[in-house]
Each structure stands twice: as structure tokens, then as C-alpha cells.
Amino acid sequence: MQSQDVAPRPRPASAAASGPPVDVEQAEAALVEHYPRLVRLAYLVLPPSLGRNRRVLTAHALTQRTLPRGRTSGDASVVPAQKTAAEGRDGDPGYAYVRLRVLRLALEAGRPLTFRSWPTRAQLPPLLPRVWGLRLFPRSGGADELALDQQLSALSAPARAAYVLRGLEGLADPDVRRVLAAAGEEDPAAALAEADRADGANRADRAAGKGGRDGTEERYGLLTSPEFDPCSLQARPTDLMRRRQHSKAAIAAAAAVAVCGALLGMPGDGWGPEGPAAPPYAQNPAAQAALDPARLTLVPAEAWESSARTDFSVWPARGGLTGDQGLLRRALAVWARPGESVQVSATPGTPAGAPPGPPQLLYAGVVDQSRVVLLYDGLRIARYAEAKDGTQGAALDLARVDGATGADASAVVLGRADGNVRYLTAPWVRTAAVRDLLRSAAGTASTASTAGATPLARSADGVSEPFASPALQTGACRSWNVLELTDRTGTRLLTDLGELTPARLTSGRPGQPRDASAATWSPLACSLAAVRGQGVRSVNSWQYARQSLPDVSGTAGWLCTRADTWRGAGPLVLAQFHAPGQRYGAVTAKAENTAACGSKDPHVLAGVLWKSAKGDWYLLAAGSKDTASIRATGGVSGSARGNLLAARAEQGAQAGLKGTLDSGREITGLR
């Protein structure tokens, strides 16, 4: 069973006129106890233009400089209590003081430097903490976190502070004004107005000091995600050459490395032969062979026709730049040693590092405004992209594709631009089309094969025309485009979930999936948003039960969708209830890292509180066909033989579910 939790409303600020005195020991205790939260606050308020590495270090430096020199008072009283039930922060003058100090320093660090005044300490790079030889940055989030980060970067520093005080600290607007004023902001009202335009909040309610849950509550929850956690970090090397130990002329060698590093960072005539790659750190024949473009594996164009295999190993090398040795050398070098200017992304569970040997070239050509190279090493696909006009900076995307065959090796993303996606299709694909699953939902099962399908043009190399992708779609789910590919074995649906390889959509009993039709996935399409950016290989939909509803209300369907990943771990399972007359199903239960609804455990049990047309409430539950009995516990009591249960219940009742299979094994409801 899945319940709806309502976030508590923000409480107003204390009416005290002046706060209790704060001494060094009290502030230090609050700083140590709430250090991760305070650093997150500073990181969110600091300008994104600093770069993630400097933002992390600056956030830590500012937070560590908030201790008072002696006993102080007054500042703490203007900082209101939190909206959460964290008793350790509510009413703590030490926490209130250091939080205000963090906010004040972060706002000061975000002000631009001018020639009229000397920079303050907060505006300069931090002396401590200091990290040598590593770049530190928080873990990457999903599409929602990326959209929120872009939204925050467009705000001014005071508006970001207002947004964070609302979302992270849960303050009402009157309290936010007092905090910003205490932090030295000259126009708190303007900052709030700019934040209002960013999150679309109901200003009237907030001006009255009301909290509650509105449309921005989910976006505020993203502020606590790992994307914005400067205490949970990833590390990457900077220039490994500088860490070599020289036995002779150590001082002269260190000075030469420093000078060369400075010259490489200055604008000049462009990249060297290896582009934006870091300096080499492995000098052995195997590593050098893997980076030699002359040794790339090039598959003949007709090889797939005579081969028994249908995987990436028989894809021919395509594109207009397969002979550009300079481009291929840069792509290989960046794959092995991405430099600081390279934007690197990888699907979860994909190992980093250079290919173990010379990889296979899949594509090299111009895509939109970029030169793109696709490489395959038997385990991963690497996509290298650089600007066509020669400006510096590049991107490297890695995706795990071990074991991909047939439908799993039918297409690879070549590029994304302006919300559109462009694919490179397998040489055995005969036709391609784009289908909006939500439009297909309007048709019947007999017409779904033609409703909503639009032919997708492809070049002679198999490069598709761009079309709108659901990968970065935000807001209400009004469309969900999928790629429909047909080859000699049949037609299959693939969907873009924000990664290099699209996910395959199937249906049927676990262990016996088949390629799904648009009619099967139409009512479930919007639920795919829950698995974007998770390294998903395939998503299977299984209607495991149908149930006649009480009060002669028709028949409902129970479905289970399971998203399996390339890495094997981290599958996501959703149970959905599809009531008669409803266009889309409702998610009733969600579980991660479970074997339920999969080939190893093809069983599932889920329930939902349902209101009949007569106004009566029922607990409805359904299990797979081999469920011998079901019983409800907790706030609802009832049992039934077989795989279906309908028991009278009260609105808002909380219940647990237990079932017994025909084999005698007991299972619990999916949660």
C-alpha cells in the first residue's frame, strides 16, 4: 500500500524581540551538528558561474568561518524556526546565528568584483580547505535536478537565497524578508518577487505566512538531493603529470610543470593533436595501441548480412568523417583522459577509463552543430562530441551495453538539441517511425497500430531526423514519443530515458516478455518518467489480474511494470491500478531492488483504497494467478481465498497485505 504524506506547514517566526546571547561553544556545537545542512545552504546560494569544484570548496570555507569571536546576540532572533520537526534546530540560537552568517557570506561571495573597491575575503578563492590533484563535485542527478540547477543559475543571488530559504529551510515570506534584511540585502521584496516568478508560487498565501503543499513542493524536495550535496562528493584527477616524482632537479621540474600548466590554460592557437584530453600518464604498448586511430576496428558495410550476430560488433563504420584522423585521435584521447573542460556523463554502473584495446568505430560525422564520434569496446559505447566551429570544450558520454543484441542494439543516440533527439539506427532496421503513446491511447486496440505513428526519415547512413524527446520533458505529461523500429523479425518500441541507448518496451509474463504494442503502453506511458536517467535496459508491463469491482462498478485491471537495468542491480517495480473509464493507470505501490514481478520471482501482490460510485470505501487487493489467499492487516481486516480481495474500509485507513501462494510460500504486499 502506498500512502500520501502531506508536508507540515511552515511555522511563523518567534515573536521574541531579541535573541539569547550566543557564545563560541554554542555556535560551534550547532555548526558541528548541522554542518552538512549549512554547507548545502551555502552551495545553493553561491553563483553557479564559479564552477562546481570551486563552489564546493567555497561553501565549506564560508561555513567554517561562521564562528563568533566572543559572545554575541541579536542576529539569532531574526531567523525563524524550521518547518520540519527537527527539534535540534528549532529555537537553537547557535544554529540560527551560524545559518545567518552562512547566508550573509554566501551573498557577499556572489557579488561581482569591481575596480572601485577591494574584494572581500568571501569573494576570493578560499585558502582552506585546499585540495591538490583532485577535482571535487557532487554526484550528478537526473533530469529534474538539472532543470532546477538551470533555473537557479538564472536567478540573482538574493533570489536564490529566497528560493532556498523557502524550499530548504521552509520559511514563510515574512520570515524570508527578515532573514534577507538581516543578511544585508537592500531589497528583500524584489528578491522574493524574482523567486516567485521562478517557482510560480501562490504569493497571496505566502504573504499571509501560509505554508502547505503546492505545485512547487516536489521541486523544493529536489534541494535535498545528492546533486546539491557538497558533503557527498565525487573525485576526478586534475593534471596527473604534476604528481610525478622527479629524482633529479625537483625544484626546476616543478617550476617547469607549473609554467606549462599556465600556458596550456591560456588562449592560444587551439587544441593540440589530442584535443581537450589531460596529459598522458600511461606509456605502455597496449595503452598506446588503444589510442591509435589507425588501429580502430572498421567493420565492412555488408558484414551484418552474412553474420549470425545482431549486435554492435557487426555495425559498420558510418559517417562522413571516418577518415578524419585528427578527430578520431582526439576522441580516443578524451575517452582515456578527459580534461577539465570536458563534460563527462555515464549511466549508473558504467566503468570509466580507457578502452582495453583498440575499439570499434561505429560513426564519425557532423550532427547538427557538432562533430560526433561513436566508439564501442565490447562493454561500453562512448560518444565524443566537439563544436563544429572549433571552439574549445567537448563532451564525453559513456553507456554500458554488454550483452546487447537484437532490439537492445537497434539504435544509439547521436545528439540532443532543443528538446529533440536524433538516432543512429542499426543497419538491419528497415523502417522507423515516431509514435506518441498518449495519442495512441485515444484509439482502440484494433486501431492502435496506426494511430499516432509518423514515418521517421533517415539518411543513407541510418541517421534519423530529430524529433521531440520525453527525456527532459517537465511539467504535465501531455505526450510521450517513442521510436518504432521494424526489421525482418518484427516491430518494437524504444523510448528515450535520457541515456545513450533507448530502453526497450515489452509486455507479458516475467520470463516470457514480447515486444509491446502501443495499445499496451498507452495508459502507462507517463509512469516511465520515474525511471529516467537510471541506466534502464528494458521496461516490461504485465497485467497480472482483473477484478470485478464492488457495487457493480465494472472491471479493473492490475498491472505490474518492471524496469531492469544494464548493470543488473537497482530494478524499479511499479504496481498500477487501472479503473474502468480511466484513461491512465494509477501507481499504487513502488519498490526498488526487489525480485518481485521479475523472471526470478514472477509474483506480485498490491492493494489500493478505492471509492465506489455509491460513495463507499473499499480496500482492493490483487495478486498473481498462483496466489491462493490474501488477508489484510492493520487498519482493515479481511481475507479472501484466491488472488482477489475486496473489503470495506474507512477513508484514509492504513493496511498491510499478506498472501499465500499455491506452493505455501508467503508474500507481502508491494510497498
Side-chain angles (χ1 to χ4, degrees), residues 31 38 51 57 89 92 94 112 160 193 231 233 309 337 356 361 382 414 422 434 462 500 519 583 595 610 659:
L31 178 62
L38 293 166
L57 298 179
R89 296 194 303 270
D92 182 1
R160 277 196 305 274
C231 291
L233 302 172
R309 306 182 63 156
R337 308 181 310 277
L361 177 62
L414 267 185
R422 192 190 291 270
V434 179
L500 270 182
R583 186 175 180 183
W610 174 80

Side-chain angles (χ1 to χ4, degrees), residues 286-327:
Q288 291 178 339
L291 304 182
D292 185 355
R295 299 195 181 190
L296 284 172
T297 300
L298 304 178
V299 176
E302 300 81 12
W304 66 272
E305 297 179 1
S306 58
S307 175
R309 306 182 63 156
T310 53
D311 56 20
F312 290 114
S313 67
V314 295
W315 275 38
R318 290 175 283 178
L321 299 179
T322 54
D324 189 335
Q325 296 294 298
L327 172 64

Side-chain angles (χ1 to χ4, degrees), residues 595-645:
C597 195
S599 58
K600 293 184 178 179
D601 187 13
H603 312 288
V604 64
L605 174 63
V608 67
L609 282 177
W610 174 80
K611 184 179 181 181
S612 71
K614 295 182 179 180
D616 298 323
W617 285 90
Y618 291 88
L619 170 64
L620 304 180
S624 46
K625 289 184 178 181
D626 54 355
T627 304
S629 63
I630 301 175
R631 63 185 181 278
T633 61
V636 180
S637 61
S639 62
R641 298 185 63 82
N643 67 326
L644 302 174
L645 169 68

Side-chain angles (χ1 to χ4, degrees), residues 447-511:
T447 63
S449 61
T450 58
T454 302
L456 183 63
R458 295 179 298 151
S459 69
D461 284 334
V463 178
S464 75
E465 290 296 312
F467 64 92
S469 167
L472 298 179
Q473 179 176 281
T474 59
C477 180
R478 296 187 176 89
S479 67
W480 195 280
N481 287 335
V482 295
L483 180 65
E484 185 176 272
L485 299 180
T486 302
D487 57 28
R488 60 188 177 186
T489 64
T491 300
R492 51 194 51 88
L493 299 180
L494 305 171
T495 183
D496 183 15
L497 296 178
E499 295 162 333
L500 270 182
T501 55
R504 181 184 180 187
L505 300 182
T506 61
S507 63
R509 184 176 177 83

Side-chain angles (χ1 to χ4, degrees), residues 321 327-328 331 361 363-365 371-375 382-385 414:
L321 299 179
L327 172 64
L328 300 179
L361 177 62
Y363 181 85
R371 288 188 287 263
V372 175
V373 178
L374 287 180
L375 300 166
R383 175 186 176 273
Y384 170 81
L414 267 185

Side-chain angles (χ1 to χ4, degrees), residues 12-404:
S14 172
S18 61
V22 179
D23 55 26
V24 176
E25 291 77 15
Q26 190 174 9
E28 183 181 16
L31 178 62
V32 172
E33 182 179 0
H34 305 294
Y35 184 82
R37 187 181 187 88
L38 293 166
V39 177
R40 185 189 291 266
L41 175 65
Y43 181 86
L44 287 166
V45 175
L46 285 169
S49 59
L50 293 178
R52 291 196 294 174
N53 182 70
R54 182 170 168 184
R55 280 175 74 191
V56 166
L57 298 179
T58 302
H60 282 274
L62 298 182
T63 305
Q64 293 171 15
R65 286 167 42 201
T66 56
L67 291 180
R69 299 183 182 276
R71 292 174 65 85
T72 184
S73 63
D75 284 345
S77 65
V78 301
V79 183
Q82 309 285 320
K83 74 173 181 180
T84 64
E87 296 296 333
R89 296 194 303 270
D90 280 354
D92 182 1
Y95 175 75
Y97 174 81
V98 294
R99 180 174 61 182
L100 180 60
R101 287 274 296 162
V102 167
L103 183 63
R104 184 178 296 160
L105 290 173
L107 289 172
E108 183 179 308
R111 296 190 181 101
L113 295 173
T114 63
F115 293 101
R116 298 181 180 180
S117 60
W118 289 97
T120 63
R121 183 179 175 185
Q123 294 174 291
L124 298 175
L127 297 176
L128 291 173
R130 198 74 175 173
V131 179
W132 296 95
L134 286 176
R135 292 184 292 115
L136 302 178
F137 49 89
R139 297 184 178 275
S140 299
D144 292 334
E145 287 85 351
L146 176 61
L148 178 58
D149 188 52
Q150 292 173 344
Q151 183 184 49
L152 291 177
S153 65
L155 299 177
S156 64
R160 277 196 305 274
Y163 192 101
V164 173
L165 288 173
R166 281 177 175 170
L168 185 65
E169 296 298 281
L171 305 185
D173 281 9
D175 303 326
V176 173
R177 292 190 189 95
R178 284 194 289 272
V179 173
L180 292 177
E185 174 55 29
E186 296 180 357
D187 194 354
L192 279 169
E194 186 178 351
D196 278 339
R197 291 191 295 271
D199 65 17
N202 188 318
R203 301 173 187 161
D205 284 349
R206 286 178 170 162
K210 298 178 182 179
R213 190 181 185 92
D214 57 25
T216 62
E217 199 65 33
E218 293 180 358
R219 280 181 289 167
Y220 284 159
L222 295 176
L223 295 175
T224 62
S225 70
E227 172 80 12
F228 308 109
D229 184 7
C231 291
S232 179
L233 302 172
Q234 290 181 314
R236 291 291 185 273
T238 53
D239 189 349
L240 298 178
M241 193 75 173
R242 295 183 182 178
R243 289 197 248 161
R244 281 183 163 184
Q245 296 189 4
H246 302 272
S247 58
K248 297 181 179 180
I251 296 177
V257 170
V259 172
C260 292
L263 293 176
L264 288 173
M266 294 176 62
D269 295 331
W271 291 332
E274 295 186 346
Y281 49 85
Q283 298 292 342
N284 62 76
Q288 291 178 339
L291 304 182
D292 185 355
R295 299 195 181 190
L296 284 172
T297 300
L298 304 178
V299 176
E302 300 81 12
W304 66 272
E305 297 179 1
S306 58
S307 175
R309 306 182 63 156
T310 53
D311 56 20
F312 290 114
S313 67
V314 295
W315 275 38
R318 290 175 283 178
L321 299 179
T322 54
D324 189 335
Q325 296 294 298
L327 172 64
L328 300 179
R329 184 180 299 279
R330 292 193 296 273
L332 291 167
V334 169
W335 185 357
R337 308 181 310 277
E340 293 186 359
S341 63
V342 179
Q343 298 180 5
V344 182
S345 69
T347 57
T350 302
Q360 176 184 343
L361 177 62
L362 303 182
Y363 181 85
V366 175
V367 179
D368 296 324
Q369 300 301 315
S370 302
R371 288 188 287 263
V372 175
V373 178
L374 287 180
L375 300 166
Y376 171 64
D377 69 351
L379 172 66
R380 302 161 296 173
I381 283 182
R383 175 186 176 273
Y384 170 81
E386 65 181 35
K388 184 172 65 174
D389 59 8
T391 56
Q392 296 195 11
L396 177 68
D397 302 313
L398 298 172
R400 183 172 175 173
V401 292
D402 49 316

